[in-house]
Amino acid sequence: MRRLSLLFLLCFLGILRIEGAPGDSFARSSPEAEGIDSAGVLALVDDLEKNVDAVHSLVLVRHGKVVAEGWWSPYAADDVHILYSVTKSFTATAVGLAAAEGLLDVNDRVISFFPEIAPAKPSEHLKAMRIRDLLRMNSGHQDDTIDRLRTHTDGQWRRAFLGLPVENKPGTRFVYNSGGAYMLAAIVQKVSGQTVEAFLTPRLFSPLGINRHPWYLSDEGVALGDGGLSLTTEDLAKFGQLYLQKGLWHGKRVLPEQWVEAAGSLQTSNGGDPASDWDAGYGYQFWRNRTTGYRADGAQGQFCLILPEYDVVLAITSGTGNTKGILDAVWSRLLPALRVNALPDNAAVEAKLTRRLESLALPIVDGVDSTPRAKEVSGRTYVFSENEQGIQTVRLDLGGANPVITFKDKDGIHPISCGLGRWLRGTTTFRKRISHMWDAGQQGMAACAAWTDVDAFTAKFCFDETPFIITARLKFEGDHLLLNIDHNQRWGERHRPQIVGQLVSDPGRKG
């Protein structure tokens, strides 16, 4: 009786975590206790840091428990991160739930949902296109349609999609088609009267304890079903765990088991290269892995790997062009570390892994805190002629506790405080034009800086809800400021053309 009372008190005080409590985060365990060699997880982290330029986070789950987790500073556990095409798997999940409720059938014709905006004389291929074809990337289009939707001048993406030529018979040819995923979101919205995010909130997000799930909309008010969702890494792992458990969460049915089986199974062959994880087949908005299991997969290294054979889920966020390197590291380092049964405790290696995961960080600017030139240029404003980056003026202030770079463009004035020898977190409005998806509002940013030459001040700006890091190099030459901006990832040229600013009279400046 005394023991039961103590357990009740500990639970009430929040000291004891009850494994699997609804809405809670995952229970935690050690790798060895769940049959994973900690040395293998260390090797995975080493491989990612050596061969992949910027992994931001990972959460490894086995037997329903987190056994390893880490965030490369300035990214943090509470940050949501844009998932890009991982979003497609959530959109497909909404389709599955809508089908379970009788709102649609995967064999329904796409055109039947939009008679008011369909072409007056639709082609036979368009009339034949089914929801199932969109789910399997078999729409019949010759190429991905998303760029043609984005450039449609009136913003009516659904109408634009239906108006495009369908060159092939639907169901006969795999073509990765983000425009098709957008149409899946539009169909769910049409039959439910809600955006995909609103539709999924009581059906998926709330049961899994996912409380933050921002999802961008198109100009016509439809969720970007192809790539607009952001989640924390642990919440992404919950999604994978739900699929691993065949739609059950804490013993309750969230997704139909038949849907889970179909979504992760081979629905379409898409290539023949046995060494490629993008040729191993496709399910319902999930990729099949070349080794085992399947995954949700997003641009620049966003992954949720579901490995039923090993009872493993691995969620990863990144900002890299080397997505193949991430998967290769998982197959070569993690899989050999998995065992059927628990392993003996290995306190020394486990402690080394823990220390490593707790100290992860992206590289800061390597340099010095000040130079003889610093006082001379501090507080001076440099004005730029018209340029493709839209930057009008730049000012560097060094008199406070932290350096501040202030950019002015047509959208306003954007001061950014930078940490010297460290990442300094804050928020910024300086986010336009870094990507077509990031175009308004405040956003989390971390910045670090240093003098990298006697007359060159370099800063890194990490947009911490995104894969994007901008490096700005300010080189002072006489009365001119030479500004070079580089992007770690970008749809378009990563190295922006150098622009030159002219010093303007600023008698009120402070050194």
Side-chain angles (χ1 to χ4, degrees):
M1 185 68 181
R2 289 181 61 192
R3 185 172 182 271
L4 288 174
S5 298
L6 178 59
L7 284 172
F8 177 81
L9 177 61
L10 291 173
C11 292
F12 180 78
L13 294 175
I15 297 173
L16 181 68
R17 184 198 300 273
I18 298 297
E19 180 183 337
D24 263 2
S25 59
F26 286 103
R28 265 60 182 174
S29 185
S30 69
E32 272 71 19
E34 308 306 323
I36 303 177
D37 183 352
S38 288
V41 183
L42 268 170
L44 171 63
V45 174
D46 288 341
D47 205 324
L48 292 175
E49 291 207 314
K50 179 181 178 181
N51 298 315
V52 181
D53 48 345
V55 174
H56 298 160
S57 70
L58 64 83
V59 172
L60 175 61
V61 182
R62 194 174 202 202
H63 306 326
K65 301 173 184 177
V66 171
V67 296
E69 56 191 319
W71 286 262
W72 277 257
S73 175
Y75 293 88
D78 292 338
D79 291 338
V80 296
H81 196 290
I82 186 69
L83 299 178
Y84 289 120
S85 288
V86 167
T87 303
K88 292 180 172 69
S89 303
F90 286 81
T91 300
T93 300
V95 172
L97 288 167
E101 295 179 20
L103 299 176
L104 55 80
D105 187 283
V106 295
N107 291 309
D108 287 339
R109 309 291 173 172
V110 172
I111 199 171
S112 69
F113 295 96
F114 309 104
E116 72 284 0
I117 58 174
K121 295 182 179 181
S123 69
E124 292 302 311
H125 286 169
L126 177 60
K127 288 192 290 185
M129 189 190 301
R130 302 169 296 169
I131 291 176
R132 184 187 300 276
D133 298 322
L134 300 184
L135 288 167
R136 299 184 302 159
M137 298 293 184
N138 282 163
S139 66
H141 293 98
Q142 189 71 20
D143 301 294
D144 194 346
T145 60
I146 194 65
D147 286 340
R148 285 176 283 176
L149 304 191
R150 288 175 180 150
T151 57
H152 209 256
T153 55
D154 65 1
Q156 299 299 307
W157 290 12
R158 297 168 302 160
R159 185 189 300 275
F161 181 91
L162 297 172
L164 293 173
V166 184
E167 297 89 345
N168 306 286
K169 182 180 178 181
T172 62
R173 183 172 184 269
F174 177 88
V175 170
Y176 190 76
N177 191 346
S178 293
Y182 176 79
M183 291 303 290
L184 291 173
I187 290 170
V188 171
Q189 185 163 328
K190 185 67 178 288
V191 300
S192 70
Q194 301 173 294
T195 66
V196 170
E197 182 187 5
F199 181 77
L200 286 178
T201 295
R203 296 167 174 83
L204 177 73
F205 294 136
S206 294
L208 271 58
I210 299 175
N211 300 315
R212 295 173 60 212
H213 37 79
W215 199 321
Y216 283 84
L217 304 179
S218 68
D219 288 344
E220 62 180 347
V222 174
L224 297 179
D226 60 308
L229 175 63
S230 296
L231 293 178
T232 67
T233 318
E234 183 169 339
D235 285 345
L236 178 57
K238 291 179 184 178
F239 178 70
Q241 188 68 25
L242 175 67
Y243 269 84
L244 186 72
Q245 295 170 175
K246 298 184 178 181
L248 290 175
W249 193 255
H250 302 308
K252 295 183 178 180
R253 176 64 57 191
V254 174
L255 296 178
E257 183 174 357
Q258 183 178 7
W259 171 263
V260 173
E261 291 287 351
S265 297
L266 178 64
Q267 296 289 343
T268 305
S269 295
N270 62 348
D273 183 354
S276 172
D277 279 291
W278 291 270
D279 271 13
Y282 200 76
Y284 284 166
Q285 306 285 290
F286 284 95
W287 294 87
R288 298 284 303 169
N289 298 322
R290 75 176 192 262
T291 53
T292 182
Y294 58 104
R295 70 187 185 279
D297 181 323
Q300 299 172 19
Q302 325 315 317
F303 290 114
C304 182
L305 292 116
I306 302 158
L307 311 179
E309 178 183 354
Y310 296 98
D311 199 20
V312 163
V313 168
L314 177 60
I316 290 176
T317 64
S318 314
T320 180
N322 186 16
T323 55
K324 180 181 184 299
I326 295 175
L327 295 177
D328 287 348
V330 173
W331 309 144
S332 64
R333 301 301 186 182
L334 180 61
L335 292 192
L338 302 175
R339 307 288 188 271
V340 174
N341 299 312
L343 296 170
D345 287 343
N346 191 344
V349 179
E350 287 181 20
K352 183 178 179 181
L353 174 61
T354 298
R355 290 193 300 270
R356 183 69 182 281
L357 292 172
E358 290 176 347
S359 62
L360 296 171
L362 297 182
I364 59 173
V365 178
D366 185 19
V368 297
D369 290 355
S370 187
T371 72
R373 194 75 190 276
K375 186 175 181 180
E376 177 186 342
V377 301
S378 178
R380 293 188 171 183
T381 299
Y382 296 82
V383 62
F384 295 81
S385 57
E386 186 175 348
N387 58 83
E388 60 95 18
Q389 298 177 65
I391 293 173
Q392 297 171 355
T393 68
V394 173
R395 176 185 171 115
L396 175 62
D397 289 288
L398 302 169
N402 300 294
V404 178
I405 303 175
T406 301
F407 294 92
K408 181 182 177 183
D409 58 20
K410 67 177 183 179
D411 306 312
I413 298 173
H414 316 288
I416 301 172
S417 295
C418 305
L420 289 171
R422 64 189 178 95
W423 290 103
L424 180 64
R425 295 191 63 148
T427 60
T428 186
T429 54
F430 185 61
R431 65 187 288 184
K432 297 218 174 191
R433 291 174 293 278
I434 64 169
S435 165
H436 66 269
M437 287 186 63
W438 303 95
D439 200 33
Q442 285 274 356
Q443 123 101 56
M445 176 193 273
C448 64
W451 288 90
T452 50
D453 202 341
V454 66
D455 55 5
F457 187 82
T458 303
K460 285 185 178 181
F461 309 134
C462 176
F463 296 80
D464 54 31
E465 295 176 11
T466 83
F468 301 118
I469 298 175
I470 291 176
T471 301
R473 187 171 188 264
L474 287 64
K475 183 175 176 61
F476 300 92
E477 290 189 354
D479 289 342
H480 294 91
L481 170 59
L482 283 58
L483 177 63
N484 287 278
I485 288 181
D486 292 288
H487 300 247
N488 68 327
Q489 299 293 319
R490 184 172 179 264
W491 280 272
E493 184 62 42
R494 295 187 191 178
H495 176 70
R496 312 300 284 274
Q498 182 184 84
I499 56 177
V500 180
Q502 172 70 49
L503 178 65
V504 296
S505 175
D506 192 1
R509 78 178 185 91
K510 297 179 179 179

